[in-house]
């Protein structure tokens, strides 16, 4: 047999009888190092590209991160300063704070690592690429575990760092406090990362067909269980000290000596009290356990990774029959209101949304948490019977809902036009005006936002037993915000479409997405500011809050302006977007 | 019409003229391989042997099980039953050793967006343990051959589909595999690139490598393949050289044979099969 002319000289060393080129390798570098090197190069290239192509955005992100970091530091400093003023209690409180901080951190890290690991080890592309190569699977799993931990370093940068400095500013600590705090933090991260690996593996092995559904069902079950448990923890009222005591009494098991969060808390408290020996002892315990758990997890999971990947792939390929009758029924009323073509487009968007768990789970989680909070408004230790409290609570609720809605429309509604534009040629062939497409998307986004945000706000005003007139004012402003935000996201999405990008997160992170987020936030601030002025006008007029109609003429004017603003913003953004969208060529 | 047992490799060899003489080197063997996805049987009792120095084209309608078979050959999917061996190494018992001899280029090749083409190839080189000097020499030839010099040092996120295919092929060849498994290698390529890749496949086969490719382009299969296998509904319904397949119906083109066999296979009740 001859070698191809474009090949260099034959490499000796192939098995007998084999083709000359198929030689065994002379030297196999450690796959772990190769992966690490490749990942380092990717990070360097990405950073270089980011700084070169979008310096202002990079700077803005850095400034925002610093602001968040400073805000967290101020918050934690305030909490620890308050605890410090309690004197003797502070020693116990510090320990309790650290125990619960690291417990919550462990849950968050395990969750984020599970998501990250599932996509990298059992996802469609990279995992297959790596698995096709002659590499020890344990090294790949180990690399991904390390990668997950490094990506989890946000926890230290964002939470651990401010906490470390806040503790230092409220306690007399020595220089060795800083490296030991960091060491405790880093050592602690390994175990939640292993838990995340195990969770991802279990999903791939035992629920490969609907991984997101499985995770969602488990999360909801755990969340509901936790809520039920907390609600049943004490028969005392929530505002009483006895309820807090009983709750912490029931949570005592979290402070068990065998829990890693307790070890880390003990170690940090020890170094705060200048007991280096004890701190090192606990650090050793954490490190020893982390090393063993990591070794066992990587070995066991590494060996079975090819099988788990195969099962995940098999689950992905397994056909799922979808009748679509639920979404069809949801959109049935729209058939009465919209022309046939618009109804079909709406149905397509609804089905796309409902079948993409990444989209609906986020909105369910965000507004689910809000619903839990709102449903318990009456049990909060606040005087919700007084009118000023009701006023303040309603204002805060509206602010929270609006800001969450702004982030939701920026993340999920804005990319809708860009994603649709990938098939512009297809739309071009349909007997439809392009503006119809934008209108359908606008109505879909509006329905979604009104149902979610409007639902939460309706429950809030109902729980607060707000006067019907002010309930109506609040709901109308909420509707105006929904209209404005939906219009902005669709309109600016059409004005700044991103072609060739199928990842909604990346579309939202582009210039247009950032611009939309800023515009949405400004719009919300104006609306909320207007509501604040309305409230102040009511207070200054000293009128009875329960009076059915106590707005001054200026108040009516302002309310009209707020309601009109949403419509004007939506119309303007849609007009600008439609103008640009019509000029696009498929 | 009675349907014989599923078509096997042996039957094909008896009818078709083999690409080499006796004593050919076996590169890959699939023995009674079956794969199910839920209730759907993607591949059913497939037996196939690939030999060194041949280009084997796998044809079949969409959803016939071609990609599944390729993935089982490369060890990405585990068969529910049956065995896969590559260069005499069991994919179940010695996967790492077996994969050392394989290169796989999927239909949508995976590339790291934020790596340049050269950095990606260096990464693959390290994973296969190819000495840098030797890899550099091979890469220089591949770059020239595949006309990659203009974009090799750009980030892969800006590559067109054709560029990605070329880079993936170059990365696959950097360790000189014995078995090159390629899924739809020519989709999205310009005519010049298609010509180059077809030539490379032939040269690889001449050098003793086995090229195992799936394709929908029957002309390419006719032009390049030493043997052709036609898969329909997870079953191998025909196997042999082009001449052997055509000998069943003299004067017919591969397209007619393909359409006839796949139509009959999909129309036939389960358990029945037709030999080519």
């Amino acid at each position: 047999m001859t070698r191809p002319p474009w090949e260099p000289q034959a490499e000796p060393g192939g098995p007998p009888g084999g083709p000359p080129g198929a030689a065994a390798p002379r030297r196999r570098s450690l796959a772990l190092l190769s992966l690490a090197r490749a990942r380092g190069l990717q990070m360097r290239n990405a950073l270089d590209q980011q700084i070169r192509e979008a310096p202002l955005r990079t700077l803005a992100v850095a400034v925002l991160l610093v602001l968040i970091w400073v805000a967290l530091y101020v918050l934690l400093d305030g909490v620890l300063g308050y605890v410090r003023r309690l004197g003797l209690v502070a020693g116990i409180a510090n320990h309790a704070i650290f125990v619960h901080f690291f417990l919550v951190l462990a849950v968050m890290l395990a969750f984020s690592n599970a998501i990250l690991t599932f996509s990298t080890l059992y996802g469609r592309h990279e995992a297959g690429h790596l698995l096709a190569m002659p590499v020890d699977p344990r090294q790949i799993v180990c690399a991904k575990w390390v990668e997950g931990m490094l990506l989890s370093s946000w926890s230290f940068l964002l939470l651990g760092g401010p906490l470390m400095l806040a503790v230092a500013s409220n306690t007399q600590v020595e220089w060795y406090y800083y490296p030991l705090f960091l060491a405790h933090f880093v050592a602690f991260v390994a175990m939640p990362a292993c838990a995340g690996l195990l969770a991802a593996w279990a999903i791939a092995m035992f629920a490969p067909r609907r991984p997101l559904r499985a995770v969602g069902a488990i999360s909801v079950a755990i969340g509901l269980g936790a809520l039920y448990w907390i609600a049943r923890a004490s028969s005392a009222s929530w505002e009483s000290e006895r309820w807090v005591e009983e709750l912490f009494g029931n949570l005592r098991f979290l402070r068990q000596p065998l829990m890693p969060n307790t070890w880390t808390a003990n170690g940090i408290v020890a170094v705060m009290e200048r007991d280096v020996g004890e701190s090192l002892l606990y650090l050793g315990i954490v490190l020893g356990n982390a090393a063993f758990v990591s070794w066992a997890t990587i070995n066991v999971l590494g060996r079975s990774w090819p099988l788990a990947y195969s099962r995940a792939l098999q689950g992905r390929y397994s056909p799922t029959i979808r009748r679509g009758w639920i979404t069809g029924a949801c959109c049935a009323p729209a058939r009465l209101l919209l022309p046939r073509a618009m109804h079909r487009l709406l149905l397509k968007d609804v089905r796309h949304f409902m079948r993409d768990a990444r989209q609906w789970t986020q909105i369910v989680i965000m507004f689910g948490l809000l619903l839990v909070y709102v449903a318990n408004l009456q049990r909060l230790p606040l005087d919700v019977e007084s009118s000023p409290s009701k006023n303040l609570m309603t204002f805060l609720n509206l602010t929270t809902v609006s800001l969450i809605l702004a982030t939701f429309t920026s993340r999920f509604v804005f990319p809708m036009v860009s994603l649709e534009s990938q098939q512009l040629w297809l739309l071009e062939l349909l007997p439809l005006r392009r503006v119809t497409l934008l209108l359908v998307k606008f109505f879909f986004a509006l329905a979604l936002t009104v149902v979610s945000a409007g639902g939460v706000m309706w429950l809030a005003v109902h729980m607060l037993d707000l006067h019907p007139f002010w309930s109506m004012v609040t709901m109308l402003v909420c509707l105006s915000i929904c209209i404005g935000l939906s219009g902005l996201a669709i309109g600016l999405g059409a004005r700044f479409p991103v072609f060739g990008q199928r990842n909604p997160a990346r579309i939202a992170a582009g210039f247009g997405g950032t611009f939309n987020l800023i515009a949405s936030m400004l719009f919300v601030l104006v609306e909320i500011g207007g509501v604040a002025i309305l409230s102040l006008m009511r207070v200054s007029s000293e009128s009875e809050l329960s009076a059915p109609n106590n707005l001054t003429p200026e108040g009516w004017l302002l309310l009209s302006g707020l309601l009109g603003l949403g419509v004007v913003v939506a119309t303007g953004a849609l007009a600008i977007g439609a103008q640009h969208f019509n000029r696009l060529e498929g | 019409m009675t349907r014989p047992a599923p078509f096997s490799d042996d039957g094909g060899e008896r009818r078709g003229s083999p690409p080499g003489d006796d004593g050919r080197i076996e590169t890959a063997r699939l023995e009674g391989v079956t794969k199910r996805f839920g209730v759907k049987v993607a591949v059913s009792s497939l037996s196939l042997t690939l030999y060194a120095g041949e280009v084997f084209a796998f044809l079949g309608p969409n959803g016939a099980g071609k990609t599944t078979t390729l993935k089982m050959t490369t060890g990405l999917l585990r068969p529910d039953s049956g065995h896969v061996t590559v260069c005499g190494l069991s994919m179940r018992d010695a996967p790492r050793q077996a994969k050392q001899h394989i290169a796989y280029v999927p239909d949508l090749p995976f590339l790291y967006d934020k790596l340049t083409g050269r950095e990606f190839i260096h990464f693959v080189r390290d994973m296969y343990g190819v000495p840098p000097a030797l890899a550099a020499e091979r890469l220089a030839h591949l770059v020239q051959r595949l006309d990659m010099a203009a974009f090799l040092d750009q980030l892969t996120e800006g590559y067109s589909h054709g560029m990605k295919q070329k880079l993936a092929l170059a990365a696959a060849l950097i360790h000189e595999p014995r078995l090159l498994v390629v899924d739809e290698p020519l989709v999205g390529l310009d005519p010049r690139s298609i010509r180059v890749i077809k030539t490379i496949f032939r040269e690889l086969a001449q050098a003793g490598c086995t090229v195992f490719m799936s394709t929908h382009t029957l002309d390419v299969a006719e032009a390049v393949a030493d043997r052709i296998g036609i898969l329909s509904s997870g079953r191998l319904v025909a196997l042999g050289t082009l001449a052997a397949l055509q000998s069943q119906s003299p004067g017919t083109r591969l397209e007619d044979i393909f359409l006839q066999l796949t139509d009959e296979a999909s129309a036939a009740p389960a358990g029945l099969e037709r030999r080519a």
Side-chain angles (χ1 to χ4, degrees):
Chain A
M1 280 178 281
T2 58
R3 294 182 56 73
W6 46 275
E7 282 291 2
Q9 283 189 342
E11 187 189 354
R26 295 289 165 282
R27 175 182 65 84
R28 181 189 297 284
S29 59
L30 201 62
L32 191 61
L33 293 178
S34 301
L35 267 171
R37 200 178 303 129
R39 193 60 78 200
L41 279 172
Q42 286 178 75
M43 284 174 64
R44 186 200 69 187
N45 291 344
L47 192 63
D48 179 54
Q49 185 188 31
Q50 196 70 21
I51 291 171
R52 199 161 16 87
E53 293 178 6
L56 280 178
R57 196 171 69 202
T58 311
L59 186 68
V61 169
V63 168
L64 280 173
L65 276 176
V66 169
L67 284 176
I68 292 171
W69 195 91
V70 170
L72 271 169
Y73 169 74
V74 170
L75 178 72
L76 289 168
D77 190 44
V79 170
L80 291 173
Y82 175 76
V83 170
R84 189 187 172 197
R85 283 196 294 278
L86 298 178
L88 284 175
V89 184
I92 303 162
N94 276 337
H95 184 259
I97 287 171
F98 282 123
V99 165
H100 292 102
F101 172 81
F102 280 103
L103 180 73
V104 173
L105 189 70
V107 174
M108 288 164 66
L109 287 176
F111 195 70
S112 69
N113 269 290
I115 292 173
L116 197 73
T117 312
F118 190 86
S119 64
T120 53
L121 283 180
Y122 308 103
R124 198 179 295 266
H125 297 302
E126 189 190 5
H129 170 69
L130 295 172
L131 204 53
M133 294 196 273
V135 182
D136 185 347
R138 288 174 301 179
Q139 289 196 29
I140 304 290
V141 171
C142 183
K144 294 299 167 191
W145 172 73
V146 172
E147 201 174 295
M149 281 200 299
L150 286 176
L151 286 171
S152 299
S153 61
W154 61 264
S155 60
F156 180 75
L157 292 173
L158 208 62
L159 296 174
L163 180 67
M164 179 177 76
L165 294 181
V167 167
S169 75
N170 283 284
T171 318
Q172 294 282 331
V173 293
E174 299 294 334
W175 65 268
Y176 46 75
Y177 158 78
Y178 298 99
L180 274 174
F181 187 99
L182 181 64
H184 276 289
F185 207 97
V186 171
F188 179 77
V189 164
M191 281 183 274
C194 288
L197 266 181
L198 279 166
W201 173 84
I203 293 289
M205 284 292 285
F206 305 113
R209 286 188 66 179
R210 298 282 181 85
L212 278 171
R213 183 174 287 189
V215 170
I218 292 168
S219 304
V220 168
I222 291 174
L224 289 177
L227 282 175
Y228 178 76
W229 182 81
I230 289 171
R232 301 267 300 178
S234 169
S235 54
S237 65
W238 283 33
E239 57 267 36
S240 68
E241 283 183 23
R242 192 163 68 87
W243 186 87
V244 177
E245 283 171 9
E246 287 184 18
L247 178 67
F248 275 86
N250 287 325
L251 288 171
R252 197 176 298 121
F253 72 94
L254 300 176
R255 299 192 292 275
Q256 288 292 320
L258 288 178
M259 297 282 280
N261 54 320
T262 308
W263 304 333
T264 303
N266 290 347
I268 290 176
V269 170
V271 73
M272 284 166 66
E273 293 168 352
R274 300 187 184 82
D275 190 346
V276 180
E278 187 166 333
S279 181
L280 285 173
L281 173 70
Y282 279 110
L283 181 61
I285 293 171
V286 175
L287 277 174
N289 280 279
F292 173 73
V293 170
S294 307
W295 174 83
T297 307
I298 289 167
N299 271 283
V300 172
L301 264 60
R303 286 185 196 285
S304 61
W305 176 47
L307 174 63
Y309 173 80
S310 177
R311 289 182 70 116
L313 200 64
Q314 188 173 337
R316 207 170 291 134
Y317 284 162
S318 297
T320 304
I321 307 297
R322 294 178 192 273
R323 306 281 180 206
W325 61 270
I326 295 177
T327 46
C330 289
C331 292
R335 190 178 284 180
L336 303 171
L337 304 169
L338 299 173
R340 183 181 168 79
M342 287 180 81
H343 172 259
R344 300 306 296 179
L345 279 169
L346 182 67
L347 185 61
K348 173 188 75 69
D349 281 346
V350 170
R351 283 185 174 153
H352 193 267
F353 178 79
M354 295 301 289
R355 289 170 187 176
D356 186 356
R358 285 170 301 184
Q359 295 197 44
W360 59 260
T361 47
Q362 302 251 357
I363 197 167
V364 165
I365 288 170
M366 284 194 292
F367 285 96
L369 287 172
L370 275 177
L371 277 174
V372 170
Y373 148 73
V374 166
N376 287 292
L377 274 175
Q378 293 287 354
R379 301 187 71 181
L380 288 177
L382 294 167
D383 182 15
V384 288
E385 294 305 318
S386 78
S387 296
S389 291
K390 282 184 183 180
N391 198 21
L392 181 66
M393 292 298 289
T394 309
F395 175 72
L396 291 176
N397 290 339
L398 187 62
T399 307
T400 310
V401 167
S402 305
L403 290 175
I404 288 178
L405 202 59
T407 54
F408 173 78
T409 53
S410 298
R411 171 65 180 76
F412 294 107
V413 178
F414 176 84
M416 283 171 71
V417 179
S418 294
L419 292 172
E420 193 75 78
S421 301
Q422 319 283 339
Q423 286 85 36
L424 206 56
W425 61 271
L426 176 63
L427 300 170
E428 199 68 6
L429 297 174
L430 297 176
L432 276 177
R433 290 190 307 150
R434 286 189 183 178
V435 71
T436 307
L437 186 81
L438 292 190
L439 283 176
V440 168
K441 294 201 177 300
F442 169 70
F443 288 136
F444 171 58
L446 184 61
L448 205 61
T449 51
V450 166
V451 167
S452 51
V456 170
M457 280 313 297
W458 179 83
L459 187 64
V461 296
H462 177 73
M463 295 302 290
L464 288 168
D465 198 19
L466 210 61
H467 189 277
F469 174 75
W470 290 103
S471 298
M472 187 190 67
V473 169
T474 307
M475 293 306 295
L476 282 175
V477 173
C478 181
L479 177 66
S480 171
I481 290 173
C482 289
I483 293 172
L485 289 177
S486 301
L488 267 175
I490 296 295
L492 293 180
R495 176 62 187 82
F496 301 106
V498 180
F499 297 115
Q501 180 57 265
R502 303 199 71 84
N503 184 345
R506 289 191 180 177
I507 295 170
F511 171 78
T514 311
F515 182 71
N516 174 63
L517 181 63
I518 293 169
S520 300
M521 288 295 178
L522 286 175
F523 167 69
V524 167
L525 285 179
V526 171
E527 288 274 352
I528 294 299
V531 175
I533 293 169
L534 261 183
S535 304
L536 287 173
M537 286 166 79
R538 290 172 61 201
V539 174
S540 63
S541 66
E542 294 182 352
S543 56
E544 277 299 313
L545 293 164
S546 56
N549 182 354
N550 55 1
L551 279 181
T552 59
E554 292 83 6
W556 278 110
L557 193 65
L558 180 59
L559 179 62
S560 309
L562 291 179
L563 300 181
L565 182 65
V567 179
V568 169
V569 164
T571 311
L574 284 170
I576 291 169
Q579 198 179 12
H580 184 78
F581 198 53
N582 279 330
R583 286 201 298 265
L584 290 177
E585 291 181 2
Chain B
M1 184 178 72
T2 57
R3 201 176 193 196
F7 198 91
S8 74
D9 196 2
D10 298 339
E13 290 312 308
R14 279 195 297 272
R15 280 190 314 281
S17 59
D21 300 320
D22 288 340
R24 286 171 301 167
I25 301 162
E26 192 178 293
T27 314
R29 176 186 282 268
L30 289 85
E31 290 176 282
V33 169
T34 297
K35 186 71 189 173
R36 291 184 185 82
F37 295 133
V39 292
K40 179 181 165 62
V41 181
V43 176
S44 176
S45 303
L46 175 69
S47 293
L48 182 68
T49 306
L50 304 175
Y51 298 100
E54 72 169 340
V55 176
F56 187 95
F58 220 21
L59 308 179
N62 293 327
K66 300 188 295 295
T67 300
T68 302
T69 306
L70 298 191
K71 285 189 170 169
M72 285 193 289
T73 309
T74 55
L76 290 180
L77 273 173
R78 294 195 170 192
D80 295 330
S81 61
H83 298 284
V84 178
T85 52
V86 173
C87 296
L89 297 158
S90 165
M91 192 52 86
R92 190 179 52 198
D93 302 331
R96 280 176 64 197
Q97 289 85 339
K99 286 172 187 174
Q100 184 67 47
H101 302 291
I102 304 177
Y104 176 48
V105 183
D107 51 348
L108 294 172
F110 172 81
L111 304 172
Y112 292 101
D113 281 355
K114 298 295 180 191
L115 288 187
T116 66
R118 191 183 299 279
E119 288 166 345
F120 178 75
I121 286 182
H122 286 173
F123 167 68
V124 175
R125 171 199 73 190
D126 292 343
M127 297 298 269
Y128 280 95
V130 182
L134 183 61
E137 202 179 340
R138 288 176 185 166
L139 179 60
H141 286 278
L142 287 165
V143 167
Q144 185 192 1
R145 195 68 201 274
L146 291 165
D147 196 18
M148 293 165 50
F151 59 86
L152 189 66
D153 290 308
Q154 293 172 10
L155 294 186
T156 62
E157 67 181 4
Y159 284 15
S160 66
H161 178 71
M163 291 171 175
K164 287 180 180 174
Q165 285 282 54
K166 286 180 180 178
L167 179 64
L169 186 63
L173 296 177
I174 205 72
H175 72 289
E176 288 196 329
R178 293 174 175 218
L179 174 61
L180 175 64
V181 182
V182 209
D183 198 354
E184 296 291 350
L186 305 174
V187 173
L189 294 181
D190 60 70
R192 182 179 297 278
S193 302
I194 290 175
R195 166 67 72 86
V196 170
I197 286 177
K198 283 193 314 192
T199 312
I200 287 177
F201 284 175
R202 285 301 333 154
E203 289 169 351
L204 283 168
Q206 283 169 17
C209 175
T210 305
V211 179
F212 184 19
M213 68 169 182
S214 81
T215 182
H216 285 296
T217 318
L218 301 181
D219 293 345
V220 173
E222 276 183 320
V224 181
D226 295 302
R227 283 195 304 153
I228 293 169
I230 299 178
L231 203 63
S232 183
S233 304
R235 290 168 182 272
L236 194 62
V237 293
L239 176 68
T241 62
L242 180 62
L245 295 177
Q246 285 175 329
S247 68
Q248 302 298 308
S249 314
T252 52
R253 295 178 306 152
L254 179 59
E255 184 182 4
D256 299 321
I257 298 167
F258 174 83
L259 291 174
Q260 185 190 348
L261 287 172
T262 52
D263 277 354
E264 285 177 7
S266 57
L272 299 181
E273 194 63 62
R274 177 177 176 82
R275 288 176 182 273

